[in-house]
Each structure stands twice: as C-alpha cells, then as structure tokens.
Amino acid sequence: MFDLSPYRMESLPDAVVQYIFSFMNNARDVAVCNCVSKRWKDSLPYIKSLYFPRNSFDNQSGIDHPDTIVWKMISSVVKLEELVVYSPFSSIGLASWMLLVGSSLKHLELRMDNLAEYQNCIESPSKLECISTANNLESLKLWGVLMMNSPKWDAFPKLQSLEIVGAKLEDHALTAALRACPNLKNLLLLGCEGVRSVLIELPSLEQCKLDFYGVGNYSLTLTSPKIEFLEVQGCSWISVRETACLRSLSISNNAGRVYMVDFGKLAALEFLSIRGVQWCWNAISKMLQLASEVKHLYMKVEFTGDFDNLQPFPEIDFVDFFNSHPKLQKFDIHGAMFAALCQKNSLKNVQSGFVIPCLEEVVVTVRSPLNAEQKICTLESLLKYGKVIKSMAIRILQMRSSHSSADDFFDEICRFQRMNHKTVRIE
C-alpha cells in the first residue's frame, strides 16, 4: 500500500507533490500542511480550491482578524479557481480577496449572512458589489442574500450557473441581477421572498428551479427557448411560451392557488408534476391537454374551484384520459384526481379494442372510503386494460378508521391485492 507519510512524500518529484496538493481544499488542512516542511509549504501555492467551513475561526486565539487570515491564505496561491466561504466575513474583507483572486476565480460560493437590512445598509461597498470584480466566474452560489436594490454588476459573461438560497428580493433587483448574467444555463432561486412579478429572459437557460416563499401569489414570465427542466413553487400565474425543448416540468403552490398557466406546445415533455391545495380547473385541464406526450405524470391537487370556493374535481372519462395520453408509463395519482376517474359514468364508454398501451407503473393514494365500489372497479380496469403494467402501489393515507365504511373498503382493497398479488401491493 502506498504510504503518504512525510518521508515517502519527500521522495516524490515536485510535480507529483504539487498535483497531490491540488486536490486539497479545506483551509484547516492547508494550514496544517503548511507547517510540515518547507517543501510542502512551497507546494501549497499550487492548490486550486479553498474551502472555509462555518466554524473555521471558532477557536481562534491569534491576533489576526479572520478576514486577514483568509487574505493571507489566498494571497499565497498562484491561481485560485474556487473559493467557498461559510465562515463570517465583512464586505471589506471580501473586497480585498476579490482584488487578489477575482480574475482567476471560476467558482465562488459565499454564505452572505446579510438578510438583516440594517447590516446591509451600513456596509459600503456591499458584499454583492464586491463580487463584480470576479468577472470570469462560471458558477456563483450565494446563501442568505438581501437584494433590495439592483446590484452594481457590470456583467458575468462566462457565468453558467447562478444559485441563490434564502433571499429577500425586490422585482427590479432580481431582474437587474439576471440581466448581468446573459449566458446562464442553470438558475436556482430557493427559499426566496419579496418578489411579486418575476421576469426571466435568458436565451441559453436549460435548467431552472424557482422556489418562492410566502403567500404564493407571485407571477412568472419565462422566455428561454432552450429550457429543458423547469420547477416552479409558489406562483399563481405562469407564462412560458417557448417550450420546444422542455422535457421535465413541475408546478406546485403549497400556500396559494394556481389560477393561470400559459405554455407553448409541450411536444418534448416526458415528466409532469402538478401539486398544490387548489388549482383552477381551467389550469389543470389545460396542462393535461398540453401534456399529451408525457411519460410520467404526478398529480397531487386537493381541490379545484375559483378563489375561496373549494370544489372537487369534475368527472373525468377514463377512456378519454388514457387515449389522450398514449405514451404514459408511470402514473402517480392522488385523492381528488383518482376520485374524478372513479365516477359512475367514467367507464361507460369502454370499447372492445381499448387498451392502455404503455402504462407500466401506477401509484394510487386513497384518503376516503367513500364510493368504494367505483374505486375498486377503477383499480380493476387499470389492470385489465393496462396490458404491460408491472407494478401497482395502493397507499392508504390518513383514512379515518372510525368511518362506518372504512373497514369494508379496506377488506375490498385487501381482497383485490390478494387476487393480484404479483402486481399489487398495499402501503
């Protein structure tokens, strides 16, 4: 076995030692190795990445300020390409670091910790302004950001990935920040609040995940012709007209309602997930109509109806639904949608040659024992007409055992499972 003790390391050529150290990034490890020998110390400037954990300076006993220690470490590196700082720092410290390594940095990740407005106001330049020096960045990730004013960024022409986690934003500030990143391919905004109307125009964007925290009444307009993956949480009005490349789409609203969806043709869509407490029926039916080529459909919407009027789903014809989605391979269906397929007239139009050609996996979540006969009939029909079904999972969720028909319904489910034990399981 290869021995990495100092004695063995001393026998290696300089180039090999420098190559080994280039994989080291934890600041504490770098500091320890710096004290081992002169040869190790001379090799450390060739590292490519530095990472400062949250607790990097918790037990510091020296006289140097943490900002100064970081400055000294990065100043000793010939060409730093990645910098990750989770430990606390000031805007003045960040500005001094960026003057040193801004031109060489490709990847920057910072825990900003400036969500408090007072702190943001007294710092000049702001931490966001300091980042502009690193104009060769390829990826930027920021935690805990207060962006009430447009950041003074010129442009990040090489930036392909922008991730902001935990932020208070204003509409104009977010728009200005995105305008400075014209070539983004990946955008993630997670746990963000404060915006009302989000406008994104990024011609190269391929992956986008947006998670807006709050009352859930935001609007989104996205213009990105190359978008392939889109996940949106917290918007009530969504417009995405250029969808030729869109393969995966997830829309949810846990706090508010989804009133309007405006999408182009979804010919390439393979995965669709729609979730939330309440969607207007027009929005649901439009998404189902557009997603006719989908292969995996996940539906978990509790109610339909406009505004505060909560209503159950209208009846959905079993045959029409599956004829409209001939490529469907996996179907995750929850409460309200399953109940809509289980109405008494849903199976009246079954023709002799009807089949569900591609369906292989079904996951059904049942929350109520009501209409038990039709529910069992629908489950049987899924197996009967789904000629290639390999798996059916029935999930009994939060069903009240005190209900008079709950025991009878569960007995029927168990009987159905026993008769089809190779395919059906109960969870």
Side-chain angles (χ1 to χ4, degrees), residues 198 210 212 218-222 230-241 249-253 257-264 274 279 283 286-287:
V198 180
L210 308 174
F212 298 111
Y218 309 117
S219 68
L220 168 67
T221 301
L222 175 68
L230 176 61
E231 185 172 339
V232 182
Q233 203 291 124
C235 289
S236 294
W237 296 270
I238 303 169
S239 177
V240 185
R241 295 299 303 162
L249 173 61
S250 176
I251 303 174
S252 62
N253 196 332
R257 304 172 182 86
V258 177
Y259 293 113
M260 187 276 291
V261 289
D262 181 20
F263 283 82
I274 59 175
W279 281 50
K286 187 171 185 178
M287 290 308 306

Side-chain angles (χ1 to χ4, degrees), residues 99-161:
L99 287 175
L100 280 174
V101 298
S103 60
S104 65
L105 279 181
K106 294 182 179 180
H107 311 285
L108 178 61
E109 182 172 350
L110 300 172
R111 180 161 175 166
M112 305 287 277
D113 284 343
N114 67 338
L115 282 175
E117 290 189 39
Y118 175 73
Q119 179 185 0
N120 185 68
C121 291
I122 64 175
E123 289 189 330
S124 180
S126 71
K127 292 177 180 179
L128 284 174
E129 290 177 24
C130 298
I131 296 171
S132 62
T133 311
N135 52 14
N136 289 316
L137 284 177
E138 296 176 6
S139 71
L140 174 62
K141 187 170 185 177
L142 305 174
W143 300 74
V145 181
L146 181 66
M147 194 185 293
M148 309 305 288
N149 300 311
S150 300
K152 296 179 181 179
W153 292 348
D154 293 329
F156 296 102
K158 297 181 181 179
L159 193 67
Q160 296 189 359
S161 178

Side-chain angles (χ1 to χ4, degrees), residues 272-291:
L272 172 63
S273 170
I274 59 175
R275 293 170 292 159
V277 176
Q278 183 183 7
W279 281 50
C280 289
W281 181 249
N282 284 341
I284 295 176
S285 59
K286 187 171 185 178
M287 290 308 306
L288 292 177
Q289 181 181 0
L290 290 171

Side-chain angles (χ1 to χ4, degrees), residues 50 54 70 88 92 163 245 275 278 280 292 309 365 372:
L50 271 176
R54 184 68 174 169
V70 176
I92 296 175
E163 300 185 10
C245 300
R275 293 170 292 159
Q278 183 183 7
C280 289
S292 58
N309 185 22
T365 300

Side-chain angles (χ1 to χ4, degrees), residues 28-266:
R28 287 185 174 180
D29 296 338
V30 173
V32 170
C33 291
N34 194 51
C35 302
V36 172
S37 70
K38 184 179 183 302
R39 188 165 183 248
W40 283 30
K41 182 178 180 179
D42 292 341
S43 298
L44 289 174
Y46 297 95
I47 63 176
K48 301 293 185 182
S49 173
L50 271 176
Y51 163 57
F52 294 86
R54 184 68 174 169
N55 60 351
S56 293
F57 305 105
D58 285 358
N59 299 315
Q60 182 206 358
S61 56
I63 59 173
D64 284 341
H65 189 276
D67 287 354
T68 305
I69 296 173
V70 176
W71 184 89
K72 287 181 177 180
M73 293 192 71
I74 66 176
S75 65
S76 66
V77 178
V78 174
K79 188 178 180 182
L80 192 67
E81 295 183 356
E82 181 179 22
L83 178 62
V84 180
V85 183
Y86 287 167
S87 57
F89 61 90
S90 68
S91 60
I92 296 175
L94 179 59
S96 66
W97 309 340
M98 293 298 102
L99 287 175
L100 280 174
V101 298
S103 60
S104 65
L105 279 181
K106 294 182 179 180
H107 311 285
L108 178 61
E109 182 172 350
L110 300 172
R111 180 161 175 166
M112 305 287 277
D113 284 343
N114 67 338
L115 282 175
E117 290 189 39
Y118 175 73
Q119 179 185 0
N120 185 68
C121 291
I122 64 175
E123 289 189 330
S124 180
S126 71
K127 292 177 180 179
L128 284 174
E129 290 177 24
C130 298
I131 296 171
S132 62
T133 311
N135 52 14
N136 289 316
L137 284 177
E138 296 176 6
S139 71
L140 174 62
K141 187 170 185 177
L142 305 174
W143 300 74
V145 181
L146 181 66
M147 194 185 293
M148 309 305 288
N149 300 311
S150 300
K152 296 179 181 179
W153 292 348
D154 293 329
F156 296 102
K158 297 181 181 179
L159 193 67
Q160 296 189 359
S161 178
L162 174 62
E163 300 185 10
I164 299 177
V165 182
K168 292 181 180 179
L169 310 168
E170 288 287 346
D171 294 351
H172 67 279
L174 177 60
T175 300
L178 295 179
R179 192 181 297 120
C181 313
N183 299 313
L184 279 182
K185 291 185 177 180
N186 174 60
L187 174 63
L188 182 144
L189 303 177
L190 184 62
C192 298
E193 59 178 319
V195 294
R196 294 180 179 274
S197 179
V198 180
L199 175 63
I200 299 174
E201 296 178 337
L202 295 168
S204 300
L205 192 65
E206 297 175 358
Q207 299 188 47
C208 183
K209 182 175 182 179
L210 308 174
D211 176 20
F212 298 111
Y213 175 80
V215 296
N217 61 349
Y218 309 117
S219 68
L220 168 67
T221 301
L222 175 68
T223 305
S224 299
K226 295 183 179 180
I227 191 73
E228 296 180 6
F229 172 93
L230 176 61
E231 185 172 339
V232 182
Q233 203 291 124
C235 289
S236 294
W237 296 270
I238 303 169
S239 177
V240 185
R241 295 299 303 162
E242 299 188 53
T243 56
C245 300
L246 190 59
R247 295 187 293 107
S248 177
L249 173 61
S250 176
I251 303 174
S252 62
N253 196 332
N254 299 326
R257 304 172 182 86
V258 177
Y259 293 113
M260 187 276 291
V261 289
D262 181 20
F263 283 82
K265 292 182 179 180
L266 299 174

